Amino acid sequence: MTTFERDATSLRPPWPFTGRQDELELIRGSVAGGRHGIVVTGPAGRGKTRLVTEAVRGTDCARATGTPETRDLPFAAFAHLLPDTVSLHRAVQLLSGVRLLLVDDAHLLDDASAALVHQLAVHGRTRLLVVATEGARAPGAITRLWTGELLPRLDLEPLPREETAQLLAAGAGGLEALTVSRLHRLCQGDLRLLRELVGAVREQGLLSRVPDSGEWEWRGPVPVTATVRERLADLLDRADPGERATLDRLAFGEPLPVDADTLDLGALEVLEADGLVHIDDHGTASLAHPLHGPVLRSVAGRLRARRLARTPSDRTAALETETAALARAIAETDVRAVPAPVGEWLVTEGIGIPAPHAAVRARFARLRGQLREAASWAREGLRTTPEDHPCHLELALSTAQSGEAGRVVAEGRGDLERVAARIRGSGSVNRGGPSAADSGTPAAPSASAVDPGTPAAPSASAVDPGTPTPPSSGAAAWWAAARGDLDAALDAVGAEPYDAVRLGAPERAVGRLTGVFAAHADALAQGDGPALDRAARTLEERGFLLFAAEAYAQAAQAHRDPGAARTSRTRSVALARRCQGARTPALAGLVLGELTARQRQIVTLAAAGLTNRQIAEKLTLSVRTVGNHLYGAYTRLGASDRDALPCLVELPEAQPA
């Protein structure tokens, strides 16, 4: 769903409406048929008004909006719908004939207008779509809409990371994964702040092109605009001098241990209670909002900044600890999220990170299904060590399993010899298939390799002798799969049996796997849908989201019960959406099912080489409509443009309109 509307508050071009499909359908359903409406709440900047505007687009809808300036004027919000002098009873009579009424900023309504909305909800003849900001003081008549169960309430959650990526792709162009993650982390669901930051980053020239890619990256400090400073001023201004000193120390050195000599424990207690500081389970303090640090640093004088600032070398021990924690999680085949803020800080500040840390971060992200993020981490490592073999290999593997593979193949860079040249590892990729040592991702360095004083993390084989390392992938196999040559892919699997399971040939892994990976292989070999579902759930619990999505997709094919098949497919689609454009053979059958009938038809013609105008003439549509359908298809397919379509999916014959 991508639509545009005029932006009256900014000279910048509008961003399209993207994501929120479930919420959109819920709101539309609540104001349709015999329903009475819904209340939508959430913090400022979460996109409530944009969402409800999209929900009522094309309908005959009356609107009213509360404002701070008119809170003392009776019926001010409804002045354009009511006569100059009117009683509450008469106002209810006049508006009962309105089919659909949208009330925005209901927390700012005057008491008379709030009472009118409440009475309309009681009478039930007018469908109400009410929007209120969470945390703001609202009239009692408005809060009783949901506390009195007159209308259901939808509390709008922050836009998920994957939908934030779609929004940024549509509104800001192609941003690489670490930049998307940084923006998502900084804004914490505030979409107005997101747009403000993107605009400031662009205007200050902080975006740079990623080599060998059409994407842009942002490194360096956060631009602290007046809007950014205003959003956080009320939180920071209520700190006394002692608390402010503690905030400043954290701003220049977080995370810091609570028992550090530089931190005032009394001030920390107050700041934690006020929600300005977060203390984790390990007794480490950090600022609660990721923008607090940049704002505090921006107002500190040069001498104060010089005294408090830590150099990158001060972070060496903490970075080594993070690397060891990530390596241990990989070795224990449990890749659920591990906090690692130091590496993120070094990257976002543009300082650079050691290649060994980058390779572990890339592998951890790839095993979690965060393929674009894995590629970005690998590139970071190659900046500091251009010849680093593990980083080259991680970059090749993450690219081969993502939607980016289609673009690379389309550009003629998918040949294995070219891949071998990019990996720069002798024998790691060859025509005869990878060796046992080089076919997959190198084993993660042990903790002792990172920090000699730390006990070594157990290897995958020590924890689970039959488990792969833990399931790593042969570059040759996955690039062959990206080209659509599954026979060559299976021939290249070699010493990586779990790759054969993911590629649909579990018989090649018989007796070579243990644990959940063996259960996945056995269930697939037997065509046991319920067992595949169980394996998928276990994989998902351990953080292997891409592997879980593949197992659910295979279960959807194996189920004899159509209802169970639909459930498995739905779960697979939901997980695949979180895997940053993953495109593997197991997921191939899901792609077209995610397109509408019209999108499938238009994508088929576009993949065959027809221009938008030719498609429009053939289907009797406008060129703009064709473009909108293609854009929606690109978003769902993870394609950057029409040239990648033939490489991403095998399309059926075009059907008549």
Side-chain angles (χ1 to χ4, degrees):
M1 173 70 66
T2 303
T3 58
F4 298 84
E5 65 177 13
R6 183 174 62 87
D7 187 346
T9 62
S10 172
L11 295 178
R12 295 171 181 166
W15 280 15
F17 177 85
T18 304
R20 299 283 194 200
Q21 293 303 305
D22 293 340
E23 294 92 338
L24 192 63
E25 293 305 317
L26 177 62
I27 293 172
R28 285 174 172 167
S30 297
V31 295
R35 307 293 180 84
H36 298 307
I38 192 171
V39 179
V40 180
T41 63
R46 192 152 288 181
K48 303 182 296 297
T49 299
R50 188 66 185 277
L51 174 63
V52 297
T53 299
E54 186 62 32
V56 300
R57 184 182 297 278
T59 65
D60 184 13
C61 177
R63 297 170 183 252
T65 303
T67 61
E69 296 78 12
T70 59
R71 294 191 74 162
D72 297 327
L73 301 177
F75 299 115
F78 294 91
H80 59 297
L81 299 174
L82 299 172
D84 292 341
T85 303
V86 67
S87 66
L88 176 60
H89 178 70
R90 181 57 179 159
V92 171
Q93 287 182 325
L94 291 172
L95 292 184
S96 291
V98 174
R99 183 177 182 180
L100 177 60
L101 177 61
L102 168 58
V103 184
D104 199 6
D105 286 336
H107 58 287
L108 297 176
L109 290 177
D110 58 273
D111 289 340
S113 294
L116 173 57
V117 173
H118 187 272
Q119 286 301 304
L120 289 172
V122 170
H123 286 265
R125 288 191 289 270
T126 298
R127 296 169 188 162
L128 293 171
L129 185 48
V130 182
V131 179
T133 296
E134 181 183 315
R137 179 179 172 273
I142 295 300
T143 58
R144 283 195 295 275
L145 290 175
W146 62 86
T147 59
E149 299 184 353
L150 288 172
L151 294 176
R153 176 187 177 188
L154 170 62
D155 189 12
L156 209 57
E157 297 291 331
L159 199 66
R161 194 264 181 209
E162 55 270 19
E163 293 191 7
T164 301
Q166 293 175 12
L167 177 62
L168 288 169
L175 299 177
E176 58 92 37
L178 294 184
T179 298
V180 171
S181 296
R182 184 183 189 187
L183 287 166
H184 178 69
R185 185 171 62 252
L186 286 172
C187 297
Q188 295 191 337
D190 190 329
L191 301 184
R192 287 184 295 183
L193 185 58
L194 178 70
R195 187 172 183 186
E196 172 75 15
L197 277 180
V198 170
V201 166
R202 277 179 162 175
E203 291 165 6
Q204 296 183 25
L206 300 179
L207 289 175
S208 58
R209 179 78 70 172
V210 178
D212 297 325
S213 171
E215 297 180 327
W216 296 83
E217 64 182 8
W218 167 36
R219 301 291 185 266
V222 175
V224 181
T225 65
T227 302
V228 172
R229 191 176 289 110
E230 288 170 4
R231 292 289 177 88
L232 304 173
D234 58 334
L235 294 173
L236 300 177
D237 287 346
R238 62 182 196 236
D240 65 27
E243 294 163 3
R244 184 60 181 269
T246 300
L247 289 173
D248 283 342
R249 292 190 182 280
L250 287 171
F252 283 93
E254 65 176 337
L256 290 174
V258 170
D259 57 0
D261 295 336
T262 57
L263 294 180
D264 183 334
L265 293 181
L268 274 179
E269 290 180 1
V270 176
L271 292 170
E272 183 184 21
D274 287 345
L276 293 175
V277 168
H278 171 70
I279 311 296
D280 65 18
D281 295 337
H282 303 290
T284 301
S286 58
L287 296 172
H289 197 292
L291 278 177
H292 286 173
V295 171
L296 287 167
R297 292 194 295 270
S298 71
V299 298
R302 291 187 178 181
L303 293 178
R304 186 174 184 80
R306 183 181 301 175
R307 176 170 60 85
L308 295 175
R310 296 171 64 184
T311 65
S313 60
D314 294 333
R315 309 253 179 174
T316 301
L319 187 66
E320 290 174 346
T321 301
E322 285 186 3
T323 309
L326 293 167
R328 188 176 295 108
I330 293 172
E332 294 174 351
T333 64
D334 189 338
V335 293
R336 285 171 285 193
V338 174
V342 177
E344 292 169 357
W345 178 82
L346 291 172
V347 168
T348 56
E349 292 297 315
I351 296 172
I353 56 175
H357 179 81
V360 174
R361 288 295 286 258
R363 185 178 184 196
F364 187 82
R366 178 172 59 81
L367 292 174
R368 286 175 52 79
Q370 299 169 337
L371 300 181
R372 297 186 190 277
E373 197 161 315
S376 294
W377 280 110
R379 291 190 187 99
E380 289 298 323
L382 293 175
R383 288 182 177 181
T384 56
T385 311
E387 302 300 321
D388 187 72
H389 172 80
C391 286
H392 274 290
L393 188 54
E394 285 300 331
L395 179 58
L397 287 164
S398 56
T399 303
Q401 296 179 44
S402 73
E404 284 296 296
R407 180 180 62 82
V408 173
V409 172
E411 294 173 359
R413 295 190 286 121
D415 182 80
L416 290 182
E417 295 298 337
R418 294 177 180 268
V419 176
R422 292 184 66 188
I423 296 176
R424 305 178 187 222
S426 59
S428 61
V429 180
N430 54 68
R431 296 261 180 204
S435 66
D438 294 324
S439 61
T441 308
S446 67
S448 60
V450 177
D451 183 355
T454 304
S459 66
S461 57
V463 175
D464 194 355
T467 302
T469 319
S472 56
S473 307
W478 288 105
W479 278 101
R483 294 200 320 270
D485 190 346
L486 288 182
D487 290 336
L490 289 171
D491 288 342
V493 165
E496 296 299 324
Y498 192 65
D499 282 352
V501 179
R502 297 178 63 197
L503 292 170
E507 65 279 358
R508 301 197 179 199
V510 173
R512 303 173 64 190
L513 297 170
T514 61
V516 64
F517 308 108
H520 182 183
D522 292 342
L524 182 60
Q526 297 171 18
D528 189 336
L532 282 166
D533 282 338
R534 289 192 295 271
R537 281 194 293 272
T538 303
L539 288 166
E540 181 181 358
E541 290 168 359
R542 294 191 184 184
F544 295 101
L545 300 189
L546 177 54
F547 300 163
E550 291 172 332
Y552 276 128
Q554 292 165 342
Q557 299 294 322
H559 278 299
R560 297 180 180 178
D561 177 11
R566 284 193 298 271
T567 299
S568 296
R569 184 185 178 281
T570 299
R571 290 172 176 168
S572 180
V573 169
L575 289 174
R577 284 175 175 167
R578 298 166 59 187
C579 292
Q580 302 181 0
R583 291 292 177 266
T584 65
L587 300 180
L590 299 176
V591 176
L592 286 180
E594 280 299 282
L595 302 182
T596 65
R598 179 64 82 180
Q599 284 176 334
R600 286 198 298 272
Q601 189 178 39
I602 291 175
V603 164
T604 300
L605 297 174
L610 275 67
T611 65
N612 286 13
R613 184 167 297 279
Q614 290 171 328
I615 296 172
E617 293 172 353
K618 186 177 182 65
L619 301 180
T620 319
L621 299 172
S622 70
V623 176
R624 184 174 182 178
T625 298
V626 171
N628 286 339
H629 279 302
L630 274 177
Y631 184 85
Y634 293 157
T635 300
R636 295 188 181 195
L637 295 173
S640 55
D641 52 42
R642 69 199 304 124
D643 293 334
L645 293 177
C647 304
L648 287 176
V649 295
E650 294 181 4
L651 295 167
E653 294 295 325
Q655 300 297 318

